[in-house]
Amino acid sequence: AQTVTQSQPEMSVQEAETVTLSCTYDTSENNYYLFWYKQPPSRQMILVIRQEAYKQQNATENRFSVNFQKAAKSFSLKISDSQLGDTAMYFCAFMKLTGANSKLTFGKGITLSVRP
Amino acid sequence: AAGVIQSPRHLIKEKRETATLKCYPIPRHDTVYWYQQGPGQDPQFLISFYEKMQSDKGSIPDRFSAQQFSDYHSELNMSSLELGDSALYFCASSPHRYDNYGYTFGSGTRLTVV
């Protein structure tokens, strides 16, 4: 079974600054995907970024980038130039790679507040 | 673009009643997943279906059952409701073949048991 750990329950950042959200995971699988999802007050689950475990290059999506350390089983999310709209709950999630889509295992989440 | 449709958006039920939640996947998505998110909690996987057959099962109580129909929509039936069943219930759909950008969540059904 896989576990995903987000040890920081809350973080706060000043608008326009950079913040890093931490995530570690445990698995015996070699092939898997990792994701960061954003859940704003509307409660919609929105995909922020994904990382394939077999790729060494860290994924980047505009202001969002990850630091993927496979050996350390660490997957942190960096948000640059933070915006007020980034205020949300952020979940790190794991999916085993079987060639087909499968269930997501989520961490407990972190509440990010962006201050004006 | 079409999204995953869940109905109803909100539902209030009394203890011991029954509730039915519906999920309409994105067209051509053949796999449906159900997740339960309690207040302040992370989403927990309940059950999934591929081509109308159960494909995986998580921490779904025996009081809950689900199925996927020929048009690929899915229903989650919850009986003998308890206060602890109050949660946000997400449905997600995807193509069977891996494509996470096609793994899409609905807006959820908020169930309140009183």
Side-chain angles (χ1 to χ4, degrees):
Chain A
Q2 290 69 231
T3 59
V4 178
T5 302
Q6 294 178 254
S7 56
Q8 308 154 302
E10 296 180 16
M11 286 194 76
S12 180
V13 64
Q14 195 74 33
E15 192 176 10
E17 292 189 343
T18 295
V19 63
T20 298
L21 311 182
S22 301
C23 173
T24 59
Y25 60 95
D26 190 25
T27 184
S28 58
E29 302 288 334
N30 193 46
N31 296 317
Y32 50 87
Y33 291 82
L34 296 164
F35 310 94
W36 279 96
Y37 277 87
K38 171 184 177 181
Q39 189 175 41
S42 67
R43 306 306 299 274
Q44 180 73 40
M45 292 295 284
I46 302 166
L47 175 66
V48 175
I49 199 166
R50 73 172 183 178
Q51 175 78 43
E52 291 88 342
Y54 60 85
K55 289 187 178 178
Q56 291 188 333
Q57 186 174 7
N58 289 324
T60 299
E61 289 285 343
N62 301 312
R63 299 183 295 107
F64 299 89
S65 62
V66 299
N67 182 4
F68 173 50
Q69 302 291 327
K70 189 173 183 180
K73 295 181 180 172
S74 170
F75 183 62
S76 61
L77 174 69
K78 185 171 80 171
I79 305 175
S80 304
D81 185 25
S82 297
Q83 300 176 0
L84 297 179
D86 294 334
T87 293
M89 191 91 165
Y90 286 82
F91 291 97
C92 179
F94 174 102
M95 179 191 289
K96 185 169 64 174
L97 175 61
T98 62
N101 278 303
S102 64
K103 67 183 179 186
L104 290 165
T105 300
F106 290 89
K108 294 296 183 187
I110 177 171
T111 301
L112 176 67
S113 300
V114 180
R115 305 186 305 274
Chain B
V4 178
I5 307 297
Q6 290 189 246
S7 68
R9 290 295 304 274
H10 302 275
L11 190 59
I12 299 175
K13 290 286 185 178
E14 294 189 354
K15 282 195 307 183
R16 293 181 288 279
E17 284 193 321
T18 297
T20 297
L21 279 54
K22 297 185 179 182
C23 171
Y24 297 87
I26 289 174
R28 293 183 296 280
H29 280 192
D30 49 20
T31 305
V32 170
Y33 314 79
W34 287 97
Y35 292 85
Q36 177 192 57
Q37 186 179 24
Q41 301 296 314
D42 56 300
Q44 294 288 320
F45 171 72
L46 293 177
I47 196 166
S48 62
F49 293 88
Y50 164 57
E51 282 293 342
K52 293 150 280 184
M53 298 287 288
Q54 180 182 306
S55 55
D56 198 359
K57 189 173 180 179
S59 49
I60 184 169
D62 292 340
R63 299 177 290 107
F64 294 7
S65 64
Q67 59 182 324
Q68 185 180 32
F69 294 86
S70 57
D71 63 352
Y72 295 104
H73 95 273
S74 178
E75 295 183 4
L76 178 65
N77 297 294
M78 309 158 69
S79 63
S80 303
L81 287 169
E82 302 173 356
L83 296 178
D85 296 329
S86 294
L88 186 60
Y89 290 82
F90 283 108
C91 170
S93 76
S94 76
H96 178 67
R97 184 183 60 81
Y98 178 74
D99 171 14
N100 179 256
Y101 289 113
Y103 198 117
T104 306
F105 282 87
S107 298
T109 293
R110 181 172 296 282
L111 172 67
T112 303
V113 181
V114 297

